[in-house]
Amino acid sequence: MNELFQDFAKAHSAKHGYILAQTLSPVSTAAEPHKLNAIWRSTNAHSVKGDIRHFIKTATGHRGGLTHDELSGWVDVYVAYWHAIGEIVSGESGRSSWTKVYEAWKELTSMLIRGYNNHGFEAWTIPALYMVGKYLRLFAIKSDAERSQMTDTVADNADIMQDDFDPESQKQSQLRDCEQQLKRIFTLCLNDRAPLESSRKWGIYYIANLLFKTYFKLNSASISRTILKTLAAYNAKGDIPNLDLFPKAQRVTFKYYEGVLFFLEENYADAEKHLVEAWQLCQKDAHENIERILTYLIPCRLLTSHVLPTKALLGPYPRLQELFLPLAQCIKKGDLQAFDIALQHGEDQFVKRRIYLTLERGRDIALRNLLRKVFIAGGFDELKEGETTPVRRTRIPVTEFSAAISMGSGGDLVDNDEVECLLANMIYKDLMKGYIARERGIVVLSKKGAFPGTGI
């Protein structure tokens, strides 16, 4: 434990928050595989508080020391940390559970929050909140998974309890509790009244990102909008630092979730804007993060700009190739039947990623490309006297479009009324410019830009 508090003293002397955060890590390193065991065995429940106080005072004494109030706060934090480590070590040998680990880590979280409220912890220590908040969420997820297995067993084996026992009510209960703890940290940072240069508000975006991850895991993504509105209000008043001043990793995550929220609200233009920012900020070798961003950016660009993903773009991402390349090829060819089959084949993954309904709209782009082929196949009108530049035929019989749609649908006949309805929708959605002359059974297309986004 002496090494732990030497690191604490070093962090406190240099006011280095990330060194401090590592002293609260619940994970052993490759260099120190037995770190947690060593910490746990260095004292006992009877002596832990006195031992930690002694270690901290000894390690920090020659470096300027801590105030009495600050010392008391950190002693409480590391006592809670020691108890949490004990649960983790016991869990590794099957003598504890993730639920006990979560409860112990929640106590550590409370002690740390109390340190800021009652013991004067300074803003440079904010990375400690990052460390504690990050693992609080992970332990909550593990606890819920563990509890879910137990409740499934009880529900299967205890029919007589069915009237009193609702296994559904237990699912994600720890993560919901975790969300409340993270909101406490969010409020702690947001309501700090110190000048910005020494404010806890420098932790606000990291905690906001943890809350986003939690809400998405709980299938309550819409609640994230409250966080965005709060941050927007504080930004408007200049009460929090600008996002551009935060570490790039935090900015990428924040922009990603902001973009996905707009995506889920079907505001694809704003979604694309934020997702592109996240993509451009992301490190080029962060393949998993880029894959997540592209999962939403590709459907966005399909609808906003009618841009299809290329093989070169998807090359490093086999999962994205499997998801999007079949659809992109069908859209490009205007093959409606193959598009429907590809969409159905990937339905489970599309629904899981919340992009199914958006991709379904890609059928309109496939239909536009099919109709464009009919327009091109129609050739040019005969040149009139004095004309030298050929002009494409712009009056096309509905029957020609009907034949193409029937072929694109696998040979199933589509009657003219349904075809006219499809054509009217394409015109309404500005995917085709012109009008339908029903009495003559033709479609009169614009001489310029008949199919927007295709150059024709």
Side-chain angles (χ1 to χ4, degrees):
M1 191 179 282
N2 186 52
E3 290 182 8
L4 179 75
F5 291 107
Q6 288 297 328
D7 288 341
F8 172 85
K10 187 190 304 180
H12 192 272
S13 175
K15 296 192 181 301
H16 198 305
Y18 289 95
I19 295 177
L20 174 69
Q22 286 304 312
T23 67
L24 292 172
S25 171
V27 179
S28 294
T29 63
E32 297 178 283
H34 305 295
K35 171 187 169 185
L36 299 187
N37 264 300
I39 293 172
W40 171 242
R41 296 180 186 282
S42 63
T43 185
N44 56 62
H46 177 73
S47 307
V48 60
K49 192 164 187 175
D51 287 347
I52 287 176
R53 183 179 293 274
H54 169 73
F55 277 123
I56 293 178
K57 290 177 72 174
T58 301
T60 60
H62 67 286
R63 300 173 186 259
L66 291 80
T67 66
H68 176 76
D69 207 25
E70 198 177 1
L71 173 63
S72 296
W74 285 115
V75 168
D76 290 343
V77 167
Y78 283 99
V79 168
Y81 173 69
W82 181 83
H83 282 291
I85 293 303
E87 295 297 346
I88 294 171
V89 170
S90 297
E92 290 174 351
S93 58
R95 291 181 288 108
S96 187
S97 65
W98 285 116
T99 297
K100 290 182 179 179
V101 171
Y102 172 74
E103 292 298 334
W105 201 259
K106 184 170 77 170
E107 178 64 16
L108 168 60
T109 305
S110 294
M111 289 299 104
L112 193 57
I113 292 173
R114 186 181 298 174
Y116 290 98
N117 287 329
N118 300 338
H119 298 291
F121 289 2
E122 297 179 60
W124 66 266
T125 63
I126 283 172
L129 286 172
Y130 301 172
M131 180 69 74
V132 169
K134 170 186 174 181
Y135 282 100
L136 184 71
R137 176 178 169 274
L138 294 176
F139 292 150
I141 292 171
K142 288 179 178 291
S143 173
D144 281 331
E146 178 183 74
R147 288 155 66 96
S148 180
Q149 289 180 347
M150 293 174 62
T151 53
D152 286 346
T153 302
V154 172
D156 289 341
N157 298 329
D159 290 342
I160 59 173
M161 297 175 60
Q162 284 183 354
D163 289 339
D164 304 316
F165 182 78
D166 180 11
E168 292 299 318
S169 67
Q170 299 298 315
K171 289 184 177 179
Q172 296 187 308
S173 61
Q174 299 291 70
L175 191 58
R176 294 184 189 281
D177 181 70
C178 172
E179 179 246 344
Q180 296 301 316
Q181 308 308 315
L182 292 177
K183 281 169 66 176
R184 290 176 65 198
I185 300 177
F186 183 80
T187 302
L188 174 75
C189 293
L190 192 65
N191 291 340
D192 190 14
R193 292 291 173 253
L196 283 184
E197 60 270 15
S198 59
S199 172
R200 294 193 296 267
K201 288 175 180 174
W202 287 100
I204 200 67
Y205 281 104
Y206 187 94
I207 304 305
N209 290 336
L210 281 180
L211 280 168
F212 290 155
K213 293 178 182 180
T214 303
Y215 290 135
F216 273 74
K217 185 73 174 177
L218 290 169
N219 287 322
S220 302
S222 58
I223 303 178
S224 301
R225 181 56 63 188
T226 305
I227 302 294
L228 289 179
K229 287 180 179 177
T230 301
L231 293 176
Y234 274 74
N235 262 318
K237 295 185 292 184
D239 279 352
I240 57 175
N242 191 283
L243 179 61
D244 292 341
L245 300 175
F246 285 79
K248 187 179 287 188
Q250 295 182 26
R251 289 152 57 198
V252 169
T253 304
F254 185 81
K255 284 296 177 182
Y256 165 74
Y257 280 105
E258 193 171 16
V260 174
L261 283 170
F262 278 115
F263 180 93
L264 297 177
E265 294 167 358
E266 299 185 4
N267 183 346
Y268 298 114
D270 283 339
E272 181 180 1
K273 171 188 169 186
H274 293 295
L275 290 169
V276 167
E277 286 185 59
W279 187 29
Q280 292 173 341
L281 285 169
C282 201
Q283 291 185 355
K284 301 308 177 186
D285 58 350
H287 289 291
E288 287 190 13
N289 290 339
I290 293 175
E291 184 173 308
R292 290 190 183 97
I293 294 167
L294 290 177
T295 298
Y296 294 95
L297 182 55
I298 287 170
C300 269
R301 303 198 78 173
L302 173 62
L303 293 191
T304 59
S305 312
H306 306 163
V307 173
L308 296 172
T310 63
K311 287 185 178 181
L313 174 67
L314 299 180
Y317 315 104
R319 283 183 293 187
L320 293 186
Q321 287 185 53
E322 185 179 352
L323 287 174
F324 292 121
L325 275 184
L327 286 174
Q329 291 165 355
C330 298
I331 291 171
K332 189 173 182 179
K333 293 176 183 177
D335 191 334
L336 302 180
Q337 183 186 38
F339 177 87
D340 292 339
I341 293 172
L343 190 67
Q344 185 178 11
H345 178 73
E347 181 175 354
D348 289 344
Q349 290 300 316
F350 296 146
V351 170
K352 180 181 177 181
R353 289 168 168 77
R354 304 179 178 93
I355 59 176
Y356 179 84
L357 294 177
T358 304
L359 290 174
E360 193 176 36
R361 298 182 185 184
R363 196 177 198 276
D364 289 338
I365 313 301
L367 178 57
R368 180 204 64 179
N369 291 344
L370 177 62
L371 300 178
R372 173 178 172 270
K373 288 184 177 182
V374 175
F375 175 63
I376 292 173
F380 298 88
D381 288 328
E382 292 184 7
L383 292 176
K384 296 179 181 178
E385 188 176 346
E387 291 181 338
T388 57
T389 303
V391 177
R392 286 199 174 276
R393 184 179 61 146
T394 56
R395 286 170 170 77
I396 301 175
V398 172
T399 53
E400 293 186 16
F401 286 125
S402 179
I405 292 171
S406 295
M407 290 176 63
S409 301
D412 295 331
L413 292 178
V414 183
D415 62 48
N416 280 357
D417 286 343
E418 186 176 347
V419 171
E420 287 183 6
C421 181
L422 290 171
L423 294 173
N425 278 331
M426 298 298 285
I427 294 169
Y428 173 76
K429 294 174 181 178
D430 202 32
L431 292 171
M432 185 169 75
K433 290 190 176 181
Y435 62 91
I436 302 171
R438 294 198 65 189
E439 66 284 355
R440 289 184 287 166
I442 64 171
V443 178
V444 181
L445 295 172
S446 172
K447 291 183 179 180
K448 291 184 179 181
F451 292 90
T454 67
I456 293 180

